[in-house]
Amino acid sequence: TSGNQTVPTAFEARYGCTVAKAVYSFRVPTATRLNRAFARGEGDARNYDEFLVEIDNQGPERNVPFMLEMLGTASITGLIPILCELDGTPTGIPVQLSKNWHHTVLPDYLRAYTLMPAAPGKTSYLLRVVYGFYGSLPSASLSQLSLIGWGDNTNGRWDQLAIGSYGETICFNPEFSSGPAAMTDIRAFLTRDGKDGKKWIWSDAGWGGDWLSVNGPDGKRLMLARMKTSYLSHGPCLPEVLYQGAYGAKNEVDIKADVSTPRTDDHAKTFLRLRYDFHAELPTKDSVLFRLGQGRVFCPKIAIGNRDGLIQELDAPSGLKVNELALERFVPTGPAPWWVGFPGSKLEGQPSGSRGFVVRSYRASFSGKNYDSPSISLPVGQLASDGRCHIDAALVPPAGVENYKPGDSVEMEIEVDVVPAKPDDYFGPNEEFRKHLTENPGSWKTFHRAAAGNDLQVEVQGGTLLRKFPIIVKADPAARMIHLEIQGGAGAVPVRFEGLDSVKGWQLGAVVSGEKMTDEYLPLISKFVPSLAKKLEPPTQPLDQTVHGNDFWETSFDPGSETYSLTYNLPLDGKPKTIWILKKLQ
């Protein structure tokens, strides 16, 4: 590692792999403690720990089980290990990570596991540990966070996502092992407490939220069971995790939850795709399909709107009891996406943000009747000591549906947003976002911007559009060029190109002229006559967010199809329409 220091490495039977033990902490007695070339500490955390890993394989080709155990990370909350080629190009070989900052004996630690392909002879990799920034944008990460040392009931799964490495963005408790809520800590990003507030520190935004909550016929809440977790990506551009399981001991309701969060520079956002399939008759009384709790954060107003703007704004009520409703089963009119926001909500005296959520799509079937718009209720979550009501926002079954029936289903795309409550609270680099906050302080318009700004219109040539936000495109077989036209965009918009035949040689660029590609058959021409396509294609400006070398895109490999994916984060703020071309250079 840095300074040509050698990391002690040996096979450890208890882990079943070769372990490189990188010790940076004085809490661990060792004669082989390492020195970093940069200062430890959360801060903006723009540097990487980098390790040169060399394998001398004197046998046939094989996969070598390997673990980097780092004791004393540079910044624990948002780190991502990435296995790269020597020039920093991501290989797409997954690195699984587990970490802990609660342990009473060990310092904050990372355990990063991978299977390193090793051909006969010498094979070399660069193992990067990224912290607060990946290239020129804050990174996005997902990890299994061990809670050993934190308190009771700490042996269940707890997953933590972060944008940057200066505090969590959101946490998930998918086994209800640390409380009866699927969504737990929710925090702001690039947010301080006023213009003189300290930067790059933890924030808050209240606590808690949930997926489906439903009781059995006996009136007792059905708990999650048999949850399986698939870490599809740990980051750093669009980390993603898939949860699949059931509610109830008899599989009364199947649940599928796909969660991701993007590398960006404006505000915290988390994407959820939720699917429920009911297999038993259950009461809808006291049931919610999704809930965002305000916890102890007082919200002066609650705003509800659609793509076109505000539908209604309510003052926070007083005099109600917990679980009483400030609004019951309100069905928003107008076009999707629909949104709910708590403008101006803030924890005083510390960095905090205002929460809300966007419903980008909604499809439900109850007793054979289809519903394509949600019903919103606003229950009282908690009461303050002065009698003020802390309001939650919930999606609930529509009026008239008294029971869930076998065959019922719900499918939703939801985005959880946390935005700065005041313009001076934001200290990030996105000037378009700063301008908006300055012109609309503490306004519902910031939640509307999140909803409508990323209600993208996308056209694709050379591939198939699978999802429009985040943008996911599946390349045509053997494609050498994909043309992407995007209308709209707020923040750094994630785009993933799937089904690519190789990981090397691709370049993404923006069409300089801003004009639509004149020949719609150009992607087809590029497939069969690449030399002609190169003459016909419009000039592009390559996307380049590099800081430490090839460090602005994410690569993954799909072993089922034996194809690759490349993920980027596009700077679309202030650009009504952009045109991008992903092309194969070699």
Side-chain angles (χ1 to χ4, degrees):
T1 188
S2 61
N4 202 31
Q5 301 171 98
T6 299
V7 179
T9 306
F11 182 83
E12 292 195 25
R14 64 174 177 160
Y15 293 123
C17 63
T18 296
V19 177
K21 192 178 295 290
V23 179
Y24 292 94
S25 174
F26 285 95
R27 289 173 56 188
V28 180
T30 177
T32 55
R33 187 177 295 109
L34 302 171
N35 295 311
R36 278 197 173 87
F38 57 93
R40 181 189 184 277
E42 297 206 325
D44 55 358
R46 295 175 186 264
N47 294 296
Y48 307 155
D49 281 320
E50 295 187 330
F51 302 90
L52 171 64
V53 184
E54 296 183 331
I55 303 169
D56 182 11
N57 177 18
Q58 298 183 15
E61 183 173 357
R62 67 187 70 188
N63 290 321
V64 178
F66 175 86
M67 180 176 80
L68 171 69
E69 183 176 50
M70 185 189 296
L71 304 178
T73 65
S75 178
I76 188 68
T77 54
L79 77 179
I80 317 108
I82 308 170
L83 193 62
C84 303
E85 298 180 10
L86 296 182
D87 65 355
T89 299
T91 62
I93 298 168
V95 182
Q96 178 183 352
L97 67 146
S98 179
K99 64 185 182 185
N100 190 333
W101 63 70
H102 312 90
H103 205 286
T104 56
V105 177
L106 295 175
D108 51 63
Y109 67 76
L110 161 71
R111 289 176 178 150
Y113 306 81
T114 189
L115 291 171
M116 293 185 170
K122 182 180 176 181
T123 303
S124 300
Y125 294 102
L126 178 68
L127 180 58
R128 275 180 162 166
V129 180
V130 171
Y131 293 101
F133 277 72
Y134 182 57
S136 60
L137 285 175
S139 62
S141 63
L142 159 70
S143 63
Q144 184 274 323
L145 174 62
S146 172
L147 299 184
I148 298 298
W150 174 72
D152 295 333
N153 302 318
T154 54
N155 294 318
R157 184 178 302 280
W158 182 279
D159 289 333
Q160 177 245 327
L161 292 97
I163 307 175
S165 192
Y166 9 92
E168 301 164 335
T169 295
I170 193 168
C171 294
F172 288 87
N173 173 39
E175 297 169 349
F176 289 171
S177 56
S178 296
M183 298 161 52
T184 57
D185 305 274
I186 299 175
R187 307 182 189 277
F189 162 64
L190 293 175
T191 300
R192 60 190 172 187
D193 186 26
K195 64 180 180 179
D196 297 323
K198 190 175 180 180
K199 301 178 181 179
W200 314 111
I201 62 174
W202 281 54
S203 66
D204 208 335
W207 192 92
D210 210 352
W211 304 331
L212 177 68
S213 179
V214 60
N215 296 329
D218 59 0
K220 295 181 180 179
R221 185 179 178 187
L222 296 182
M223 303 303 284
L224 286 167
R226 293 169 294 283
M227 289 294 286
K228 302 298 180 185
T229 304
S230 302
Y231 295 103
L232 305 180
S233 165
H234 287 285
C237 293
L238 187 65
E240 183 176 9
V241 58
L242 176 63
Y243 302 108
Q244 296 183 89
Y247 287 90
K250 299 179 181 179
N251 281 33
E252 283 91 333
V253 190
D254 287 338
I255 176 173
K256 182 177 181 180
D258 188 302
V259 177
S260 60
T261 196
R263 169 177 173 254
T264 190
D265 63 356
D266 54 352
H267 63 84
K269 59 196 79 170
T270 304
F271 310 130
L272 299 98
R273 302 182 76 189
L274 300 173
R275 169 84 191 202
Y276 313 133
D277 289 284
F278 294 84
H279 304 297
E281 184 166 339
L282 302 168
T284 60
K285 185 178 184 297
D286 299 325
S287 176
V288 300
L289 303 174
F290 174 81
R291 183 168 181 152
L292 184 65
Q294 276 298 105
R296 64 187 187 279
V297 182
F298 176 68
C299 48
K301 293 183 180 295
I302 308 101
I304 300 174
N306 59 25
R307 191 189 193 284
D308 293 338
L310 181 69
I311 297 175
Q312 67 168 304
E313 189 170 40
L314 301 80
D315 291 326
S318 60
L320 298 178
K321 299 178 181 179
V322 172
N323 292 327
E324 288 188 339
L325 298 175
L327 186 69
E328 183 174 9
R329 286 187 167 86
F330 176 78
V331 179
T333 56
W338 305 280
W339 53 271
V340 179
F342 296 87
S345 59
K346 180 177 170 65
L347 281 164
E348 296 298 334
Q350 67 181 90
S352 68
S354 304
R355 292 196 293 181
F357 64 87
V358 178
V359 183
R360 296 206 172 272
S361 68
Y362 180 91
R363 293 175 294 275
S365 176
F366 298 112
S367 299
K369 183 178 179 180
N370 295 328
Y371 298 82
D372 58 8
S373 56
S375 297
I376 300 169
S377 288
L378 301 177
V380 176
Q382 292 184 18
L383 294 177
S385 57
D386 60 4
R388 294 183 301 175
C389 297
H390 298 301
I391 302 299
D392 292 1
L395 303 183
V396 297
V401 177
E402 297 183 355
N403 291 283
Y404 299 114
K405 301 289 183 63
D408 287 356
S409 65
V410 180
E411 191 168 9
M412 305 176 289
E413 289 182 289
I414 295 173
E415 174 185 328
V416 176
D417 294 300
V418 183
V419 303
K422 300 177 181 179
D424 285 339
D425 289 354
Y426 176 70
F427 66 87
N430 190 313
E431 292 303 325
E432 286 286 331
F433 186 52
R434 189 189 319 280
K435 179 175 181 290
H436 165 85
L437 293 173
T438 302
E439 295 173 351
N440 304 280
S443 172
W444 60 264
K445 293 182 180 180
T446 304
F447 295 101
H448 176 244
R449 179 184 185 271
N454 282 319
D455 185 33
L456 308 175
Q457 304 303 309
V458 183
E459 294 183 16
V460 178
Q461 297 173 20
T464 302
L465 181 67
L466 302 182
R467 190 176 173 189
K468 70 174 187 176
F469 187 69
I471 302 171
I472 300 177
V473 175
K474 184 177 181 180
D476 291 341
R480 298 184 62 86
M481 180 183 297
I482 300 174
H483 168 264
L484 195 63
E485 180 177 323
I486 306 170
Q487 294 187 43
V493 173
V495 55
R496 185 168 72 213
F497 298 96
E498 300 181 346
L500 304 177
D501 60 2
S502 66
V503 67
K504 295 183 179 180
W506 294 96
Q507 183 186 81
L508 180 64
V511 173
V512 176
S513 66
E515 298 178 359
K516 188 177 178 70
M517 187 182 294
T518 55
D519 191 342
E520 63 179 300
Y521 298 106
L522 192 53
L524 188 63
I525 295 172
S526 73
K527 179 178 178 180
F528 296 103
V529 193
S531 59
L532 177 58
K534 191 170 184 179
K535 295 178 181 179
L536 294 174
E537 70 182 49
T540 60
Q541 177 66 44
L543 179 66
D544 187 2
Q545 300 164 334
T546 294
V547 173
H548 298 292
N550 296 321
D551 59 343
F552 65 92
W553 73 91
E554 178 184 326
T555 303
S556 61
F557 177 69
D558 179 8
S561 62
E562 297 188 345
T563 59
Y564 292 87
S565 297
L566 297 176
T567 303
Y568 303 87
N569 304 86
L570 306 180
L572 300 185
D573 275 302
K575 301 171 184 175
K577 184 177 77 170
T578 54
I579 301 171
W580 301 83
I581 295 177
L582 179 72
K583 56 187 175 182
K584 191 74 173 288
L585 299 180
Q586 59 185 35

